[in-house]
Amino acid sequence: MRGINLPQTFERRGTSVPLHHKDFAHTRVREYFHGEDRLLEAVIPNYSGTRRGELVVVPWEQLPQMGSLDMRDLQVHEKVQATSSTRDLDPIKIREICLAADAALSGDPSIMDAAKQAVARDDEDRAMVRLSLIAQLTRESGIARGDTLMARTNTRTLMELMGSGSGRSRIDLDLLIERVMIFAAERGNCTVVDARSYLDPLVGMITPFGNVTTKGEEKNNGFLYLQHTRLLQFRSELSGYRNQIREELDHQVGLILEAADECIAYVNERLSLLNELLGKLADMFDGNMNAIDRLDRLRRDVGYGLDGWEDMITMWRGAYAARDAIGGDRAMERAVQRIAGYAPRIPVREMFPDHELVKPGSRYEQARVKMVSEMHSWENGTLDAELQSRVTKGREAKAGGQAASRTDTPAREPKSDQ
């Protein structure tokens, strides 16, 4: 799965575009530049039954000529074609395009209803995240001012204030928000008007991750957070099913688990960084773009890190739910084989951006670059003594050859002025 000619970055891997046409399953879109012209490519795996692992790459604009797209797929295709930047092609933006098309044009009522519900949940998530940000600012303000009550505030507290029928409670909430905005302005060395203007853009950036929570608070919103949770559950389900699979397919299950573990570790690391960043929310109101850039980078990384797994999980659970009707274990095995062929991997350069073996324009990328660089075995992670010995000898020979070359080269005589 990781070996030959893999893309070095998420952008070169492309973004999954879940088209309904069966020949375009797992298609990705990516951009490239021909001179100053921005062009889009469709990367189609296993097109019309080609051998597993093969990719067909065509101009994005040609997709409608290669298959009969329904109205929903045509709208998705047109919206993607109309994008103008790499940012417009990230997984969060593509999701918005697909949800809008599903809600308006899907021929399947269940898909249409699910899309409408997802859009409604996104709106609810935005409102809840706004409250959670205010709660976080309240906690930070309470800690800074030594106010124990404010330091214990959470999102539920604010919800109770909002739902109260007492006019006094509503006034208290307004006063609380004003107070935390003053605190944010003081911390950020900006005006209260500026602090308020920063709040909604921050809400929009954080909404995919769900509420900012404190210890003991549960989180059940934010589509990126929920996708991550689904991947964790899928990994657990597949691991539990592994002892039921035929021995011939155990290797493929192992490949899927390896890919899942790679993505989970990548996303976990970035979610940890996100929690650190949001733990000092008031520092993001200083007008300094460093924190905003970090947040934006984390959104990009987590979105791409989870990109493509939703289709895999849906395929797995669909096969499991209908296993009695479509062949029992054979249905599960077909799902395993398909997922093993298409499970997303993290591009090497995304994991090791500064690694010396990963250079722009490389035709091939190394499998497990970090292990190779540390001279560890690919199979079990232990030190490969033979490889270490060969590398050491090669370096000594190279150093000796360079020294001999310097010794054998005669010194040049100085040129005469005559």
Side-chain angles (χ1 to χ4, degrees):
M1 292 175 67
R2 180 193 300 290
I4 299 176
N5 216 21
L6 289 178
Q8 296 185 40
T9 66
F10 287 131
E11 287 80 7
R12 288 309 301 155
R13 186 183 75 177
T15 308
S16 294
V17 183
L19 297 170
H20 291 172
H21 194 289
K22 63 181 182 65
D23 285 341
F24 300 144
H26 317 305
T27 292
R28 291 179 177 272
V29 62
R30 65 188 186 188
E31 71 173 8
Y32 72 99
F33 287 86
H34 183 68
E36 296 183 356
D37 296 329
R38 174 182 181 266
L39 304 172
L40 297 182
E41 293 177 329
V43 182
I44 314 169
N46 197 34
Y47 176 64
S48 294
T50 54
R51 290 186 299 174
R52 189 172 300 279
E54 289 187 345
L55 299 173
V56 174
V57 181
V58 298
W60 180 260
E61 62 183 12
Q62 291 184 9
L63 272 186
Q65 303 168 28
M66 299 176 64
S68 180
L69 303 184
D70 61 18
M71 294 298 293
R72 180 268 184 194
D73 281 358
L74 282 173
Q75 176 165 309
V76 170
H77 177 266
E78 291 171 3
K79 292 291 185 181
V80 171
Q81 185 68 44
T83 58
S84 58
S85 68
T86 305
R87 175 62 59 83
D88 295 336
L89 295 178
D90 74 17
I92 295 175
K93 294 291 186 181
I94 294 296
R95 176 181 177 270
E96 293 176 1
I97 290 174
C98 291
L99 278 181
D102 283 337
L105 296 171
S106 176
D108 186 333
S110 63
I111 293 177
M112 181 177 289
D113 290 342
K116 291 178 179 178
Q117 291 172 15
V119 172
R121 279 197 304 271
D122 286 349
D123 291 339
E124 294 171 3
D125 288 353
R126 185 180 181 87
M128 290 299 297
V129 167
R130 190 175 194 278
L131 271 183
S132 76
L133 260 62
I134 293 171
Q136 174 64 22
L137 288 172
T138 303
R139 289 191 291 270
E140 293 181 29
S141 177
I143 293 170
R145 301 175 188 277
D147 187 321
T148 305
L149 181 61
M150 291 181 71
R152 292 202 305 264
T153 301
N154 58 32
T155 308
R156 181 176 293 278
T157 304
L158 299 185
M159 288 182 64
E160 290 172 353
L161 284 174
M162 289 183 64
S164 171
S166 166
R168 174 67 179 170
S169 295
R170 294 182 183 279
I171 293 173
D172 288 347
L173 179 59
D174 290 339
L175 290 174
L176 176 63
I177 294 174
E178 184 66 22
R179 186 173 181 181
V180 299
M181 286 293 100
I182 292 173
F183 167 71
E186 291 174 350
R187 177 71 69 85
N189 194 28
C190 63
T191 68
V192 176
V193 173
D194 286 339
R196 286 183 177 276
S197 70
Y198 296 156
L199 182 60
D200 283 341
L202 281 175
V203 169
M205 296 184 73
I206 297 170
T207 294
F209 296 111
N211 287 358
V212 181
T213 57
T214 187
K215 186 176 181 180
E217 278 190 288
E218 294 183 358
K219 181 187 291 191
N220 58 3
N221 64 348
F223 71 85
L224 286 179
Y225 172 80
L226 296 178
Q227 285 179 3
H228 184 50
T229 301
R230 277 168 60 83
L231 178 55
L232 291 169
Q233 293 170 344
F234 164 72
R235 199 258 179 233
S236 178
E237 292 169 8
L238 184 61
S239 179
Y241 186 76
R242 189 173 191 175
N243 61 0
Q244 304 176 40
I245 202 78
R246 286 189 295 117
E247 184 177 353
E248 294 86 345
L249 295 178
D250 183 75
H251 176 65
Q252 290 180 306
V253 174
L255 291 176
I256 300 171
L257 292 175
E258 180 183 336
D261 287 341
E262 181 179 272
C263 291
I264 288 168
Y266 181 86
V267 172
N268 279 344
E269 181 180 343
R270 279 143 187 83
L271 290 179
S272 177
L273 295 173
L274 175 70
N275 289 334
E276 292 179 13
L277 192 61
L278 297 181
K280 299 178 181 179
L281 185 63
D283 291 342
M284 301 181 74
F285 286 79
D286 63 357
N288 185 339
M289 294 304 293
N290 180 53
I292 301 299
D293 288 343
R294 288 176 60 198
L295 176 58
D296 190 47
R297 179 73 182 186
L298 290 172
R299 268 171 50 102
R300 175 258 188 196
D301 288 353
V302 173
Y304 275 114
L306 296 170
D307 183 42
W309 278 107
E310 195 65 23
D311 276 354
M312 306 294 113
I313 297 170
T314 299
M315 187 188 309
W316 166 260
R317 292 186 175 170
Y320 187 82
R323 63 191 183 283
D324 293 335
I326 57 176
D329 289 339
R330 290 194 300 276
M332 302 300 295
E333 290 177 1
R334 286 195 295 270
V336 165
Q337 290 173 326
R338 189 168 182 86
I339 295 170
Y342 303 122
R345 301 303 297 258
I346 305 295
V348 175
R349 198 175 180 194
E350 297 291 348
M351 292 192 291
F352 314 114
D354 299 323
H355 198 283
E356 61 182 2
L357 294 182
V358 182
K359 299 184 181 299
S362 296
R363 183 178 177 189
Y364 298 106
E365 295 191 345
Q366 298 290 336
R368 301 186 184 276
V369 173
K370 190 175 183 180
M371 285 189 178
V372 174
S373 70
E374 295 175 354
M375 295 180 289
H376 284 63
S377 167
W378 290 9
E379 282 77 20
N380 54 27
T382 60
L383 182 67
D384 189 330
E386 182 183 355
L387 175 60
Q388 183 186 37
S389 175
R390 285 190 281 117
V391 170
T392 301
K393 289 180 179 178
R395 287 174 176 170
E396 290 174 351
K398 181 178 180 181
Q402 290 175 343
S405 176
R406 288 194 295 270
T407 303
D408 296 343
T409 302
R412 295 182 179 179
E413 296 182 359
K415 293 182 179 180
S416 171
D417 292 337
Q418 296 178 349

